Amino acid sequence: MDWLRTALNYSKEFAEVAVFGFLFAGFLQAVVRPTVVARYLSGYSVWRANAIGATVGFFTPLCCCTAIPTALALWRGGSRPGPACAFLIATPWFNWYGLVALWIFLGWRMALVVAGSGVFIAFLTGMIIDWQSPNERAPRPLPTEVPETVCTTTSCSVKSGSACCSTVDTDGSGEFFDFSNPWQKLQMAGTNAWALARELLPWIAAGILIGATVKTWLPTAWISALETRSWLTPVLALVLATLLYADSLGSLPLVNALLQKGLGSGNGMILLIAGVGTNLATLGPIYREMGTRVAILYACCVMILAFLLGILWNLVL
């Protein structure tokens, strides 16, 4: 009964943000122009471009999988890999939808820790990638048919097709949003919302079941024993985050359960950020599109920075 009650509570918490969140996320994906974002990232200095890459995802509420095609679109439209990687790291947590979910599940303080850490790690990773792997190719303009974000059968793939999910800058206005053809945009929003729900609901359901299991049956003494070894727990959290991949939203119930069992805040942050940043679904497209050097730098920077920052948060909080 305790397990079922916990699972129902997690489901209720997701329901508070899911319905409106999917609809509004679908609408934003229909009106935001990725080509304009790409031009902004390629036209600024390295510092400013990576800062924008780490924060612009606030207006494009994407999970870790659905952020991949958008990040690749940014890379194809720009001249540097760093801002695209920064976008990919920070977006799953630094967006209005992710922040609301973090707040509901983990509280406002942990929400700020995770989102702030994500932006910081994303910015530094982007800077290091651009410093160590300067890209000398000329910017390639995006095709009129942009990669889809959530209209494919799997959001971790990149498919060139009709622009059913987002809009391109066909009029050359350079505006971030396109509100022309409102009825068409509403139809696109509905299609995007339904596709996003189909992609995320299995992960969310799995996260609810795993989180309820951990919260109900994992002995608190085990977590307390690990926390007494301050150097070991972040290592285990990093290994677990790398091996056990889950969607960003789907991992929230598990981290919630572990935090209630006594897991340190920094270790919870490691599970969330490293979990969505160092998995094959993310590293595979980076390797194919940007090369081996960038993929290795990306993975190493996320793991090392998340580990160091996790130790700091364990000491401070």
mmCIF file with all atom_site columns, all heavy atoms in Angstrom, residues 26-27 29-31 162-168 170 178-192:
data_model
loop_
_atom_site.group_PDB
_atom_site.id
_atom_site.type_symbol
_atom_site.label_atom_id
_atom_site.label_alt_id
_atom_site.label_comp_id
_atom_site.label_asym_id
_atom_site.label_entity_id
_atom_site.label_seq_id
_atom_site.pdbx_PDB_ins_code
_atom_site.Cartn_x
_atom_site.Cartn_y
_atom_site.Cartn_z
_atom_site.occupancy
_atom_site.B_iso_or_equiv
_atom_site.pdbx_formal_charge
_atom_site.auth_seq_id
_atom_site.auth_comp_id
_atom_site.auth_asym_id
_atom_site.auth_atom_id
_atom_site.pdbx_PDB_model_num
ATOM 1   N N   . GLY A 1 26  ? 4.510  22.765 -26.646 1.00 0.00 ? 26  GLY A N   1
ATOM 2   C CA  . GLY A 1 26  ? 4.222  22.581 -28.065 1.00 0.00 ? 26  GLY A CA  1
ATOM 3   C C   . GLY A 1 26  ? 4.008  23.896 -28.780 1.00 0.00 ? 26  GLY A C   1
ATOM 4   O O   . GLY A 1 26  ? 4.446  24.078 -29.918 1.00 0.00 ? 26  GLY A O   1
ATOM 5   N N   . PHE A 1 27  ? 3.351  24.841 -28.109 1.00 0.00 ? 27  PHE A N   1
ATOM 6   C CA  . PHE A 1 27  ? 3.126  26.156 -28.706 1.00 0.00 ? 27  PHE A CA  1
ATOM 7   C C   . PHE A 1 27  ? 4.439  26.900 -28.906 1.00 0.00 ? 27  PHE A C   1
ATOM 8   O O   . PHE A 1 27  ? 4.682  27.493 -29.965 1.00 0.00 ? 27  PHE A O   1
ATOM 9   C CB  . PHE A 1 27  ? 2.181  26.970 -27.823 1.00 0.00 ? 27  PHE A CB  1
ATOM 10  C CG  . PHE A 1 27  ? 1.971  28.378 -28.304 1.00 0.00 ? 27  PHE A CG  1
ATOM 11  C CD1 . PHE A 1 27  ? 1.186  28.638 -29.411 1.00 0.00 ? 27  PHE A CD1 1
ATOM 12  C CD2 . PHE A 1 27  ? 2.574  29.446 -27.657 1.00 0.00 ? 27  PHE A CD2 1
ATOM 13  C CE1 . PHE A 1 27  ? 1.000  29.937 -29.872 1.00 0.00 ? 27  PHE A CE1 1
ATOM 14  C CE2 . PHE A 1 27  ? 2.394  30.748 -28.099 1.00 0.00 ? 27  PHE A CE2 1
ATOM 15  C CZ  . PHE A 1 27  ? 1.607  30.990 -29.213 1.00 0.00 ? 27  PHE A CZ  1
ATOM 16  N N   . GLN A 1 29  ? 7.414  25.641 -29.259 1.00 0.00 ? 29  GLN A N   1
ATOM 17  C CA  . GLN A 1 29  ? 8.184  25.006 -30.324 1.00 0.00 ? 29  GLN A CA  1
ATOM 18  C C   . GLN A 1 29  ? 7.638  25.378 -31.697 1.00 0.00 ? 29  GLN A C   1
ATOM 19  O O   . GLN A 1 29  ? 8.370  25.347 -32.685 1.00 0.00 ? 29  GLN A O   1
ATOM 20  C CB  . GLN A 1 29  ? 8.170  23.487 -30.140 1.00 0.00 ? 29  GLN A CB  1
ATOM 21  C CG  . GLN A 1 29  ? 9.055  23.027 -28.993 1.00 0.00 ? 29  GLN A CG  1
ATOM 22  C CD  . GLN A 1 29  ? 8.957  21.526 -28.788 1.00 0.00 ? 29  GLN A CD  1
ATOM 23  O OE1 . GLN A 1 29  ? 7.908  20.935 -28.977 1.00 0.00 ? 29  GLN A OE1 1
ATOM 24  N NE2 . GLN A 1 29  ? 10.041 20.927 -28.376 1.00 0.00 ? 29  GLN A NE2 1
ATOM 25  N N   . ALA A 1 30  ? 6.369  25.739 -31.764 1.00 0.00 ? 30  ALA A N   1
ATOM 26  C CA  . ALA A 1 30  ? 5.776  26.126 -33.038 1.00 0.00 ? 30  ALA A CA  1
ATOM 27  C C   . ALA A 1 30  ? 6.121  27.553 -33.432 1.00 0.00 ? 30  ALA A C   1
ATOM 28  O O   . ALA A 1 30  ? 6.147  27.876 -34.625 1.00 0.00 ? 30  ALA A O   1
ATOM 29  C CB  . ALA A 1 30  ? 4.252  25.960 -32.973 1.00 0.00 ? 30  ALA A CB  1
ATOM 30  N N   . VAL A 1 31  ? 6.406  28.419 -32.475 1.00 0.00 ? 31  VAL A N   1
ATOM 31  C CA  . VAL A 1 31  ? 6.617  29.838 -32.798 1.00 0.00 ? 31  VAL A CA  1
ATOM 32  C C   . VAL A 1 31  ? 8.069  30.279 -32.670 1.00 0.00 ? 31  VAL A C   1
ATOM 33  O O   . VAL A 1 31  ? 8.432  31.339 -33.183 1.00 0.00 ? 31  VAL A O   1
ATOM 34  C CB  . VAL A 1 31  ? 5.725  30.744 -31.902 1.00 0.00 ? 31  VAL A CB  1
ATOM 35  C CG1 . VAL A 1 31  ? 4.259  30.410 -32.112 1.00 0.00 ? 31  VAL A CG1 1
ATOM 36  C CG2 . VAL A 1 31  ? 6.097  30.618 -30.423 1.00 0.00 ? 31  VAL A CG2 1
ATOM 37  N N   . SER A 1 162 ? 9.302  18.083 -43.368 1.00 0.00 ? 162 SER A N   1
ATOM 38  C CA  . SER A 1 162 ? 8.522  19.308 -43.319 1.00 0.00 ? 162 SER A CA  1
ATOM 39  C C   . SER A 1 162 ? 8.633  19.938 -41.957 1.00 0.00 ? 162 SER A C   1
ATOM 40  O O   . SER A 1 162 ? 8.690  19.255 -40.948 1.00 0.00 ? 162 SER A O   1
ATOM 41  C CB  . SER A 1 162 ? 7.054  18.988 -43.618 1.00 0.00 ? 162 SER A CB  1
ATOM 42  O OG  . SER A 1 162 ? 6.545  18.106 -42.657 1.00 0.00 ? 162 SER A OG  1
ATOM 43  N N   . ALA A 1 163 ? 8.664  21.252 -41.948 1.00 0.00 ? 163 ALA A N   1
ATOM 44  C CA  . ALA A 1 163 ? 8.848  21.966 -40.687 1.00 0.00 ? 163 ALA A CA  1
ATOM 45  C C   . ALA A 1 163 ? 7.542  21.994 -39.917 1.00 0.00 ? 163 ALA A C   1
ATOM 46  O O   . ALA A 1 163 ? 6.863  23.002 -39.846 1.00 0.00 ? 163 ALA A O   1
ATOM 47  C CB  . ALA A 1 163 ? 9.337  23.376 -40.961 1.00 0.00 ? 163 ALA A CB  1
ATOM 48  N N   . CYS A 1 164 ? 7.174  20.852 -39.342 1.00 0.00 ? 164 CYS A N   1
ATOM 49  C CA  . CYS A 1 164 ? 5.894  20.766 -38.642 1.00 0.00 ? 164 CYS A CA  1
ATOM 50  C C   . CYS A 1 164 ? 6.034  21.139 -37.187 1.00 0.00 ? 164 CYS A C   1
ATOM 51  O O   . CYS A 1 164 ? 5.041  21.348 -36.515 1.00 0.00 ? 164 CYS A O   1
ATOM 52  C CB  . CYS A 1 164 ? 5.321  19.358 -38.769 1.00 0.00 ? 164 CYS A CB  1
ATOM 53  S SG  . CYS A 1 164 ? 6.248  18.121 -37.863 1.00 0.00 ? 164 CYS A SG  1
ATOM 54  N N   . CYS A 1 165 ? 7.240  21.181 -36.686 1.00 0.00 ? 165 CYS A N   1
ATOM 55  C CA  . CYS A 1 165 ? 7.420  21.411 -35.262 1.00 0.00 ? 165 CYS A CA  1
ATOM 56  C C   . CYS A 1 165 ? 7.870  22.816 -34.941 1.00 0.00 ? 165 CYS A C   1
ATOM 57  O O   . CYS A 1 165 ? 7.612  23.322 -33.869 1.00 0.00 ? 165 CYS A O   1
ATOM 58  C CB  . CYS A 1 165 ? 8.462  20.432 -34.709 1.00 0.00 ? 165 CYS A CB  1
ATOM 59  S SG  . CYS A 1 165 ? 7.890  18.754 -34.661 1.00 0.00 ? 165 CYS A SG  1
ATOM 60  N N   . SER A 1 166 ? 8.620  23.433 -35.796 1.00 0.00 ? 166 SER A N   1
ATOM 61  C CA  . SER A 1 166 ? 9.127  24.763 -35.528 1.00 0.00 ? 166 SER A CA  1
ATOM 62  C C   . SER A 1 166 ? 9.093  25.550 -36.819 1.00 0.00 ? 166 SER A C   1
ATOM 63  O O   . SER A 1 166 ? 8.858  25.017 -37.898 1.00 0.00 ? 166 SER A O   1
ATOM 64  C CB  . SER A 1 166 ? 10.549 24.702 -34.969 1.00 0.00 ? 166 SER A CB  1
ATOM 65  O OG  . SER A 1 166 ? 11.376 23.975 -35.833 1.00 0.00 ? 166 SER A OG  1
ATOM 66  N N   . THR A 1 167 ? 9.373  26.824 -36.714 1.00 0.00 ? 167 THR A N   1
ATOM 67  C CA  . THR A 1 167 ? 9.261  27.686 -37.885 1.00 0.00 ? 167 THR A CA  1
ATOM 68  C C   . THR A 1 167 ? 10.616 28.273 -38.223 1.00 0.00 ? 167 THR A C   1
ATOM 69  O O   . THR A 1 167 ? 11.447 28.491 -37.345 1.00 0.00 ? 167 THR A O   1
ATOM 70  C CB  . THR A 1 167 ? 8.252  28.813 -37.625 1.00 0.00 ? 167 THR A CB  1
ATOM 71  O OG1 . THR A 1 167 ? 8.157  29.632 -38.783 1.00 0.00 ? 167 THR A OG1 1
ATOM 72  C CG2 . THR A 1 167 ? 8.675  29.675 -36.465 1.00 0.00 ? 167 THR A CG2 1
ATOM 73  N N   . VAL A 1 168 ? 10.861 28.464 -39.505 1.00 0.00 ? 168 VAL A N   1
ATOM 74  C CA  . VAL A 1 168 ? 12.124 29.039 -39.954 1.00 0.00 ? 168 VAL A CA  1
ATOM 75  C C   . VAL A 1 168 ? 11.922 30.513 -40.264 1.00 0.00 ? 168 VAL A C   1
ATOM 76  O O   . VAL A 1 168 ? 10.816 31.004 -40.360 1.00 0.00 ? 168 VAL A O   1
ATOM 77  C CB  . VAL A 1 168 ? 12.671 28.296 -41.197 1.00 0.00 ? 168 VAL A CB  1
ATOM 78  C CG1 . VAL A 1 168 ? 13.005 26.872 -40.848 1.00 0.00 ? 168 VAL A CG1 1
ATOM 79  C CG2 . VAL A 1 168 ? 11.655 28.333 -42.329 1.00 0.00 ? 168 VAL A CG2 1
ATOM 80  N N   . THR A 1 170 ? 11.699 32.607 -42.702 1.00 0.00 ? 170 THR A N   1
ATOM 81  C CA  . THR A 1 170 ? 11.527 32.729 -44.141 1.00 0.00 ? 170 THR A CA  1
ATOM 82  C C   . THR A 1 170 ? 11.431 34.176 -44.597 1.00 0.00 ? 170 THR A C   1
ATOM 83  O O   . THR A 1 170 ? 11.736 34.491 -45.744 1.00 0.00 ? 170 THR A O   1
ATOM 84  C CB  . THR A 1 170 ? 10.261 31.981 -44.579 1.00 0.00 ? 170 THR A CB  1
ATOM 85  O OG1 . THR A 1 170 ? 9.146  32.457 -43.814 1.00 0.00 ? 170 THR A OG1 1
ATOM 86  C CG2 . THR A 1 170 ? 10.421 30.489 -44.344 1.00 0.00 ? 170 THR A CG2 1
ATOM 87  N N   . ASP A 1 178 ? 7.688  33.796 -34.218 1.00 0.00 ? 178 ASP A N   1
ATOM 88  C CA  . ASP A 1 178 ? 6.883  33.978 -35.421 1.00 0.00 ? 178 ASP A CA  1
ATOM 89  C C   . ASP A 1 178 ? 5.434  33.640 -35.088 1.00 0.00 ? 178 ASP A C   1
ATOM 90  O O   . ASP A 1 178 ? 5.096  32.475 -34.866 1.00 0.00 ? 178 ASP A O   1
ATOM 91  C CB  . ASP A 1 178 ? 7.392  33.072 -36.542 1.00 0.00 ? 178 ASP A CB  1
ATOM 92  C CG  . ASP A 1 178 ? 6.521  33.158 -37.789 1.00 0.00 ? 178 ASP A CG  1
ATOM 93  O OD1 . ASP A 1 178 ? 5.741  34.121 -37.907 1.00 0.00 ? 178 ASP A OD1 1
ATOM 94  O OD2 . ASP A 1 178 ? 6.616  32.244 -38.629 1.00 0.00 ? 178 ASP A OD2 1
ATOM 95  N N   . PHE A 1 179 ? 4.584  34.662 -35.033 1.00 0.00 ? 179 PHE A N   1
ATOM 96  C CA  . PHE A 1 179 ? 3.184  34.461 -34.695 1.00 0.00 ? 179 PHE A CA  1
ATOM 97  C C   . PHE A 1 179 ? 2.275  34.581 -35.920 1.00 0.00 ? 179 PHE A C   1
ATOM 98  O O   . PHE A 1 179 ? 1.053  34.745 -35.774 1.00 0.00 ? 179 PHE A O   1
ATOM 99  C CB  . PHE A 1 179 ? 2.746  35.476 -33.627 1.00 0.00 ? 179 PHE A CB  1
ATOM 100 C CG  . PHE A 1 179 ? 3.447  35.302 -32.314 1.00 0.00 ? 179 PHE A CG  1
ATOM 101 C CD1 . PHE A 1 179 ? 4.439  36.193 -31.914 1.00 0.00 ? 179 PHE A CD1 1
ATOM 102 C CD2 . PHE A 1 179 ? 3.137  34.245 -31.475 1.00 0.00 ? 179 PHE A CD2 1
ATOM 103 C CE1 . PHE A 1 179 ? 5.093  36.036 -30.699 1.00 0.00 ? 179 PHE A CE1 1
ATOM 104 C CE2 . PHE A 1 179 ? 3.782  34.080 -30.264 1.00 0.00 ? 179 PHE A CE2 1
ATOM 105 C CZ  . PHE A 1 179 ? 4.758  34.979 -29.868 1.00 0.00 ? 179 PHE A CZ  1
ATOM 106 N N   . SER A 1 180 ? 2.849  34.519 -37.109 1.00 0.00 ? 180 SER A N   1
ATOM 107 C CA  . SER A 1 180 ? 2.025  34.553 -38.311 1.00 0.00 ? 180 SER A CA  1
ATOM 108 C C   . SER A 1 180 ? 1.238  33.249 -38.444 1.00 0.00 ? 180 SER A C   1
ATOM 109 O O   . SER A 1 180 ? 1.611  32.218 -37.868 1.00 0.00 ? 180 SER A O   1
ATOM 110 C CB  . SER A 1 180 ? 2.900  34.754 -39.547 1.00 0.00 ? 180 SER A CB  1
ATOM 111 O OG  . SER A 1 180 ? 3.795  33.669 -39.701 1.00 0.00 ? 180 SER A OG  1
ATOM 112 N N   . ASN A 1 181 ? 0.156  33.289 -39.212 1.00 0.00 ? 181 ASN A N   1
ATOM 113 C CA  . ASN A 1 181 ? -0.700 32.115 -39.415 1.00 0.00 ? 181 ASN A CA  1
ATOM 114 C C   . ASN A 1 181 ? -1.076 31.454 -38.087 1.00 0.00 ? 181 ASN A C   1
ATOM 115 O O   . ASN A 1 181 ? -0.682 30.321 -37.815 1.00 0.00 ? 181 ASN A O   1
ATOM 116 C CB  . ASN A 1 181 ? -0.011 31.093 -40.320 1.00 0.00 ? 181 ASN A CB  1
ATOM 117 C CG  . ASN A 1 181 ? 0.358  31.661 -41.671 1.00 0.00 ? 181 ASN A CG  1
ATOM 118 O OD1 . ASN A 1 181 ? -0.437 32.359 -42.291 1.00 0.00 ? 181 ASN A OD1 1
ATOM 119 N ND2 . ASN A 1 181 ? 1.583  31.378 -42.111 1.00 0.00 ? 181 ASN A ND2 1
ATOM 120 N N   . PRO A 1 182 ? -1.796 32.166 -37.234 1.00 0.00 ? 182 PRO A N   1
ATOM 121 C CA  . PRO A 1 182 ? -2.074 31.650 -35.885 1.00 0.00 ? 182 PRO A CA  1
ATOM 122 C C   . PRO A 1 182 ? -2.789 30.311 -35.882 1.00 0.00 ? 182 PRO A C   1
ATOM 123 O O   . PRO A 1 182 ? -2.506 29.463 -35.020 1.00 0.00 ? 182 PRO A O   1
ATOM 124 C CB  . PRO A 1 182 ? -2.930 32.754 -35.253 1.00 0.00 ? 182 PRO A CB  1
ATOM 125 C CG  . PRO A 1 182 ? -3.457 33.550 -36.398 1.00 0.00 ? 182 PRO A CG  1
ATOM 126 C CD  . PRO A 1 182 ? -2.423 33.485 -37.460 1.00 0.00 ? 182 PRO A CD  1
ATOM 127 N N   . TRP A 1 183 ? -3.718 30.081 -36.799 1.00 0.00 ? 183 TRP A N   1
ATOM 128 C CA  . TRP A 1 183 ? -4.425 28.804 -36.795 1.00 0.00 ? 183 TRP A CA  1
ATOM 129 C C   . TRP A 1 183 ? -3.472 27.654 -37.108 1.00 0.00 ? 183 TRP A C   1
ATOM 130 O O   . TRP A 1 183 ? -3.522 26.582 -36.482 1.00 0.00 ? 183 TRP A O   1
ATOM 131 C CB  . TRP A 1 183 ? -5.569 28.835 -37.806 1.00 0.00 ? 183 TRP A CB  1
ATOM 132 C CG  . TRP A 1 183 ? -6.296 27.527 -37.928 1.00 0.00 ? 183 TRP A CG  1
ATOM 133 C CD1 . TRP A 1 183 ? -6.362 26.708 -39.014 1.00 0.00 ? 183 TRP A CD1 1
ATOM 134 C CD2 . TRP A 1 183 ? -7.041 26.865 -36.895 1.00 0.00 ? 183 TRP A CD2 1
ATOM 135 N NE1 . TRP A 1 183 ? -7.101 25.591 -38.743 1.00 0.00 ? 183 TRP A NE1 1
ATOM 136 C CE2 . TRP A 1 183 ? -7.545 25.658 -37.438 1.00 0.00 ? 183 TRP A CE2 1
ATOM 137 C CE3 . TRP A 1 183 ? -7.343 27.194 -35.574 1.00 0.00 ? 183 TRP A CE3 1
ATOM 138 C CZ2 . TRP A 1 183 ? -8.317 24.777 -36.703 1.00 0.00 ? 183 TRP A CZ2 1
ATOM 139 C CZ3 . TRP A 1 183 ? -8.118 26.307 -34.833 1.00 0.00 ? 183 TRP A CZ3 1
ATOM 140 C CH2 . TRP A 1 183 ? -8.603 25.119 -35.391 1.00 0.00 ? 183 TRP A CH2 1
ATOM 141 N N   . GLN A 1 184 ? -2.573 27.866 -38.066 1.00 0.00 ? 184 GLN A N   1
ATOM 142 C CA  . GLN A 1 184 ? -1.576 26.841 -38.379 1.00 0.00 ? 184 GLN A CA  1
ATOM 143 C C   . GLN A 1 184 ? -0.651 26.602 -37.182 1.00 0.00 ? 184 GLN A C   1
ATOM 144 O O   . GLN A 1 184 ? -0.283 25.452 -36.891 1.00 0.00 ? 184 GLN A O   1
ATOM 145 C CB  . GLN A 1 184 ? -0.757 27.255 -39.590 1.00 0.00 ? 184 GLN A CB  1
ATOM 146 C CG  . GLN A 1 184 ? 0.279  26.217 -40.022 1.00 0.00 ? 184 GLN A CG  1
ATOM 147 C CD  . GLN A 1 184 ? 1.129  26.692 -41.176 1.00 0.00 ? 184 GLN A CD  1
ATOM 148 O OE1 . GLN A 1 184 ? 1.148  27.885 -41.482 1.00 0.00 ? 184 GLN A OE1 1
ATOM 149 N NE2 . GLN A 1 184 ? 1.829  25.786 -41.816 1.00 0.00 ? 184 GLN A NE2 1
ATOM 150 N N   . LYS A 1 185 ? -0.290 27.690 -36.482 1.00 0.00 ? 185 LYS A N   1
ATOM 151 C CA  . LYS A 1 185 ? 0.571  27.541 -35.313 1.00 0.00 ? 185 LYS A CA  1
ATOM 152 C C   . LYS A 1 185 ? -0.123 26.729 -34.216 1.00 0.00 ? 185 LYS A C   1
ATOM 153 O O   . LYS A 1 185 ? 0.503  25.917 -33.533 1.00 0.00 ? 185 LYS A O   1
ATOM 154 C CB  . LYS A 1 185 ? 0.967  28.917 -34.772 1.00 0.00 ? 185 LYS A CB  1
ATOM 155 C CG  . LYS A 1 185 ? 1.888  29.704 -35.689 1.00 0.00 ? 185 LYS A CG  1
ATOM 156 C CD  . LYS A 1 185 ? 3.227  29.010 -35.848 1.00 0.00 ? 185 LYS A CD  1
ATOM 157 C CE  . LYS A 1 185 ? 4.225  29.913 -36.571 1.00 0.00 ? 185 LYS A CE  1
ATOM 158 N NZ  . LYS A 1 185 ? 3.808  30.251 -37.921 1.00 0.00 ? 185 LYS A NZ  1
ATOM 159 N N   . LEU A 1 186 ? -1.425 26.940 -34.044 1.00 0.00 ? 186 LEU A N   1
ATOM 160 C CA  . LEU A 1 186 ? -2.161 26.166 -33.035 1.00 0.00 ? 186 LEU A CA  1
ATOM 161 C C   . LEU A 1 186 ? -2.203 24.686 -33.408 1.00 0.00 ? 186 LEU A C   1
ATOM 162 O O   . LEU A 1 186 ? -2.079 23.818 -32.534 1.00 0.00 ? 186 LEU A O   1
ATOM 163 C CB  . LEU A 1 186 ? -3.578 26.723 -32.886 1.00 0.00 ? 186 LEU A CB  1
ATOM 164 C CG  . LEU A 1 186 ? -3.709 28.080 -32.196 1.00 0.00 ? 186 LEU A CG  1
ATOM 165 C CD1 . LEU A 1 186 ? -5.151 28.549 -32.209 1.00 0.00 ? 186 LEU A CD1 1
ATOM 166 C CD2 . LEU A 1 186 ? -3.191 28.002 -30.747 1.00 0.00 ? 186 LEU A CD2 1
ATOM 167 N N   . GLN A 1 187 ? -2.360 24.403 -34.682 1.00 0.00 ? 187 GLN A N   1
ATOM 168 C CA  . GLN A 1 187 ? -2.334 23.007 -35.111 1.00 0.00 ? 187 GLN A CA  1
ATOM 169 C C   . GLN A 1 187 ? -0.968 22.387 -34.879 1.00 0.00 ? 187 GLN A C   1
ATOM 170 O O   . GLN A 1 187 ? -0.850 21.245 -34.409 1.00 0.00 ? 187 GLN A O   1
ATOM 171 C CB  . GLN A 1 187 ? -2.707 22.915 -36.590 1.00 0.00 ? 187 GLN A CB  1
ATOM 172 C CG  . GLN A 1 187 ? -4.164 23.228 -36.888 1.00 0.00 ? 187 GLN A CG  1
ATOM 173 C CD  . GLN A 1 187 ? -4.465 23.160 -38.366 1.00 0.00 ? 187 GLN A CD  1
ATOM 174 O OE1 . GLN A 1 187 ? -3.717 23.665 -39.212 1.00 0.00 ? 187 GLN A OE1 1
ATOM 175 N NE2 . GLN A 1 187 ? -5.584 22.536 -38.712 1.00 0.00 ? 187 GLN A NE2 1
ATOM 176 N N   . MET A 1 188 ? 0.081  23.153 -35.202 1.00 0.00 ? 188 MET A N   1
ATOM 177 C CA  . MET A 1 188 ? 1.436  22.679 -34.943 1.00 0.00 ? 188 MET A CA  1
ATOM 178 C C   . MET A 1 188 ? 1.664  22.460 -33.459 1.00 0.00 ? 188 MET A C   1
ATOM 179 O O   . MET A 1 188 ? 2.300  21.486 -33.052 1.00 0.00 ? 188 MET A O   1
ATOM 180 C CB  . MET A 1 188 ? 2.451  23.680 -35.497 1.00 0.00 ? 188 MET A CB  1
ATOM 181 C CG  . MET A 1 188 ? 2.492  23.769 -37.014 1.00 0.00 ? 188 MET A CG  1
ATOM 182 S SD  . MET A 1 188 ? 3.431  25.205 -37.602 1.00 0.00 ? 188 MET A SD  1
ATOM 183 C CE  . MET A 1 188 ? 5.030  24.868 -36.877 1.00 0.00 ? 188 MET A CE  1
ATOM 184 N N   . ALA A 1 189 ? 1.133  23.370 -32.634 1.00 0.00 ? 189 ALA A N   1
ATOM 185 C CA  . ALA A 1 189 ? 1.295  23.242 -31.189 1.00 0.00 ? 189 ALA A CA  1
ATOM 186 C C   . ALA A 1 189 ? 0.649  21.968 -30.685 1.00 0.00 ? 189 ALA A C   1
ATOM 187 O O   . ALA A 1 189 ? 1.216  21.252 -29.841 1.00 0.00 ? 189 ALA A O   1
ATOM 188 C CB  . ALA A 1 189 ? 0.694  24.459 -30.490 1.00 0.00 ? 189 ALA A CB  1
ATOM 189 N N   . GLY A 1 190 ? -0.555 21.662 -31.176 1.00 0.00 ? 190 GLY A N   1
ATOM 190 C CA  . GLY A 1 190 ? -1.215 20.429 -30.768 1.00 0.00 ? 190 GLY A CA  1
ATOM 191 C C   . GLY A 1 190 ? -0.441 19.194 -31.183 1.00 0.00 ? 190 GLY A C   1
ATOM 192 O O   . GLY A 1 190 ? -0.304 18.239 -30.408 1.00 0.00 ? 190 GLY A O   1
ATOM 193 N N   . THR A 1 191 ? 0.075  19.219 -32.426 1.00 0.00 ? 191 THR A N   1
ATOM 194 C CA  . THR A 1 191 ? 0.881  18.087 -32.900 1.00 0.00 ? 191 THR A CA  1
ATOM 195 C C   . THR A 1 191 ? 2.143  17.922 -32.065 1.00 0.00 ? 191 THR A C   1
ATOM 196 O O   . THR A 1 191 ? 2.519  16.812 -31.672 1.00 0.00 ? 191 THR A O   1
ATOM 197 C CB  . THR A 1 191 ? 1.263  18.301 -34.372 1.00 0.00 ? 191 THR A CB  1
ATOM 198 O OG1 . THR A 1 191 ? 0.078  18.427 -35.159 1.00 0.00 ? 191 THR A OG1 1
ATOM 199 C CG2 . THR A 1 191 ? 2.088  17.134 -34.903 1.00 0.00 ? 191 THR A CG2 1
ATOM 200 N N   . ASN A 1 192 ? 2.817  19.035 -31.788 1.00 0.00 ? 192 ASN A N   1
ATOM 201 C CA  . ASN A 1 192 ? 4.030  18.990 -30.979 1.00 0.00 ? 192 ASN A CA  1
ATOM 202 C C   . ASN A 1 192 ? 3.754  18.481 -29.576 1.00 0.00 ? 192 ASN A C   1
ATOM 203 O O   . ASN A 1 192 ? 4.516  17.682 -29.015 1.00 0.00 ? 192 ASN A O   1
ATOM 204 C CB  . ASN A 1 192 ? 4.663  20.380 -30.897 1.00 0.00 ? 192 ASN A CB  1
ATOM 205 C CG  . ASN A 1 192 ? 5.184  20.856 -32.229 1.00 0.00 ? 192 ASN A CG  1
ATOM 206 O OD1 . ASN A 1 192 ? 5.339  20.074 -33.161 1.00 0.00 ? 192 ASN A OD1 1
ATOM 207 N ND2 . ASN A 1 192 ? 5.428  22.144 -32.334 1.00 0.00 ? 192 ASN A ND2 1
#
